[in-house]
Structure formats: structure tokens, C-alpha cells
């Protein structure tokens, strides 16, 4: 049985940190928000990240309360839905030409989609960021190639984050260590959130990813 490809990402549901005529030739970072959030996540972090970066913050396709999501977090969840969300992001990002580097950053559920996009298209993203996030537990066809490339990945989470189950955190840490060049930080007392100290560490990581750094 064949399934149809997920619908393309709507460009109107992307928040950009720079107007179209100021993006070419600059490194690009795609942002994927968490469950119940929206693309304005990009506006919230713009001033705390390297100004050389162009940010493209994408809205998830599912309406969730007052925000959006990438896939359901209830009994209706199918693993294929993570793939579908990641495929939409990867296909859209592959069409963003004219940038010397392309990274993907996800928070919570968005990090699962970002990692899955890297696994589906190992050649596409130069690096990744996982904030309070997790990896899909099932193997993906691009895993071996990703492990060969070992792209840089920053993973940050709080030690008081009880939202992501501990076994999934452990699985994600093992998977990242085996497939990426991992920078891992755990922040004491932080819950399912991002702290100023974490943003400072993230900015250092991103500056090191800039062309010519």
C-alpha cells in the first residue's frame, strides 16, 4: 500500500528574521517550535543569537489549543507522522538556496522533527540543535550516513525536566553520541524550558558554526 506525500510546507507560515532582500549569502538556521507553540519562537530568540544568522521559524501543521504542533501526543500518534513532518521541513529547506550553511534547531517536539529531517537527509543540514528534545526511537535509512558524517549537534536540557521520559532521554543521548559530534549540556534546576545560561552556550555553539569561524 502506498501513501501520498505530505502536503508542502506553506511559505506563509514561516517567520523570517530578515526581509527577502537581506538573506542571500548569509548562513541560515531553521527553527522548529514545541507542541502548542508557534513560529513566533524565532522572534523570541533573535536578539540572543549571532546576528550573522538568518532565522526561518516554521509553524507546525496541527492546530493545538492556542498554538500548533508537528504530530499528536496522544493515542492517535503514528511513527509515520514524525517522518511526514520531517519530510515537509526537509523538502522546503532543500529549496532555500544561496546560503553558505544550513542548520536546524528544534525545541521539545520540534527537535524530534529536526533530528528526523537530518536522519532522512544527512547531506542537507550542516548541524543541529536539540533543546529539551528527543529522537524517534526507530531506525531511519539515513542513520548510517549520518554516523559517517557526524555533524555537530548541541543538546541542552534541564535536570528537572520531567516532561520527556527518562528512558527516552537516555536513548536520545546514546543515539546522538553514536551518530553526531555531540556537545551536551545539562542545566541544574531547569525544567522543560530554555534558560539564559543555555542560550549563552547555544550562541557559542552557533558562532563556531559560522562560515570562516
Amino acid at each position: 500500500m502506498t501513501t501520498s506525500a505530505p502536503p508542502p510546507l506553506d511559505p506563509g507560515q514561516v517567520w523570517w528574521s530578515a526581509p527577502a532582500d537581506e538573506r542571500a549569502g548569509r548562513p541560515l538556521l531553521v527553527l522548529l517550535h514545541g507542541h502548542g507553540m508557534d513560529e513566533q519562537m524565532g522572534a523570541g530568540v533573535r536578539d540572543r543569537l549571532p546576528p550573522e544568522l538568518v532565522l526561518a521559524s516554521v509553524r507546525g501543521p496541527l492546530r493545538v489549543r492556542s498554538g500548533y504542533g508537528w504530530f499528536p501526543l496522544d493515542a492517535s500518534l503514528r511513527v509515520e507522522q514524525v517522518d511526514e513532518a520531517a519530510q515537509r521541513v526537509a523538502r522546503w529547506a532543500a529549496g532555500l538556496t544561496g546560503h553558505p550553511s544550513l542548520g536546524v534547531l528544534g525545541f521539545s517536539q520540534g527537535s524530534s522533527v529536526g533530528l528526523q529531517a537530518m536522519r532522512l537527509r544527512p547531506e542537507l543540514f550542516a548541524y543541529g540543535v536539540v533543546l529539551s528534545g528527543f529522537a524517534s526511537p526507530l531506525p531511519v535509512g539515513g542513520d548510517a550516513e549520518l554516523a559517517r558524517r557526524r555533524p555537530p549537534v548541541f543538546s541542552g536540557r534541564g535536570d528537572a525536566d520531567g516532561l520527556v521520559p527518562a528512558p527516552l532521554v537516555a536513548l536520545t543521548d546514546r543515539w546522538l553520541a553514536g551518530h553526531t559530534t555531540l556537545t551536551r549540556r545539562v542545566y541544574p534546576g531547569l525544567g522543560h524550558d530554555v534558560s539564559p545560561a543555555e542560550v549563552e552556550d547555544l550562541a557559542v555553539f552557533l558562532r563556531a558554526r559560522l562560515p570562516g569561524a
Side-chain angles (χ1 to χ4, degrees):
M1 178 179 178
T2 59
T3 58
S4 58
L9 192 149
D10 182 353
Q13 297 176 348
V14 181
W15 177 91
W16 289 90
S17 66
D21 61 354
E22 296 179 10
R23 300 172 195 163
R26 295 170 62 186
L28 177 63
L29 178 61
V30 174
L31 276 62
L32 308 176
H33 60 74
H35 199 67
M37 300 170 65
D38 62 27
E39 69 274 21
Q40 292 304 313
M41 167 186 168
V45 298
R46 163 68 280 179
D47 293 339
R48 296 183 285 173
L49 301 184
E52 297 92 336
L53 282 171
V54 173
L55 307 183
S57 189
V58 183
R59 181 193 304 173
L62 301 180
R63 186 73 187 185
V64 180
R65 300 183 300 276
S66 59
Y68 298 85
W70 297 98
F71 49 83
L73 293 178
D74 55 29
S76 68
L77 171 63
R78 295 177 291 106
V79 174
E80 293 82 4
Q81 291 169 307
V82 183
D83 279 348
E84 290 168 2
Q87 286 167 0
R88 291 178 74 238
V89 170
R91 283 206 309 270
W92 172 78
L96 303 175
T97 59
H99 301 280
S101 68
L102 174 62
V104 60
L105 177 157
F107 172 73
S108 190
Q109 187 188 63
S111 69
S112 182
V113 175
L115 279 177
Q116 200 76 347
M118 293 182 73
R119 299 168 75 177
L120 291 168
R121 295 286 301 274
E123 80 292 348
L124 183 58
F125 297 99
Y127 62 90
V129 176
V130 178
L131 304 179
S132 303
F134 55 95
S136 176
L138 297 182
V140 177
D143 282 353
E145 175 63 14
L146 197 70
R148 187 187 71 80
R149 292 174 177 264
R150 299 189 75 87
V153 168
F154 177 91
S155 175
R157 69 173 64 252
D159 68 358
D161 183 353
L163 197 60
V164 181
L168 189 53
V169 171
L171 179 149
T172 299
D173 287 345
R174 288 195 302 271
W175 186 90
L176 288 170
H179 294 79
T180 73
T181 302
L182 179 61
T183 299
R184 181 175 179 268
R185 298 285 186 270
V186 178
Y187 300 90
L190 179 65
H192 196 69
D193 202 351
V194 178
S195 70
E198 185 173 11
V199 174
E200 290 179 9
D201 290 342
L202 171 60
V204 170
F205 174 85
L206 292 175
R207 279 195 291 271
R209 311 278 79 79
L210 295 174

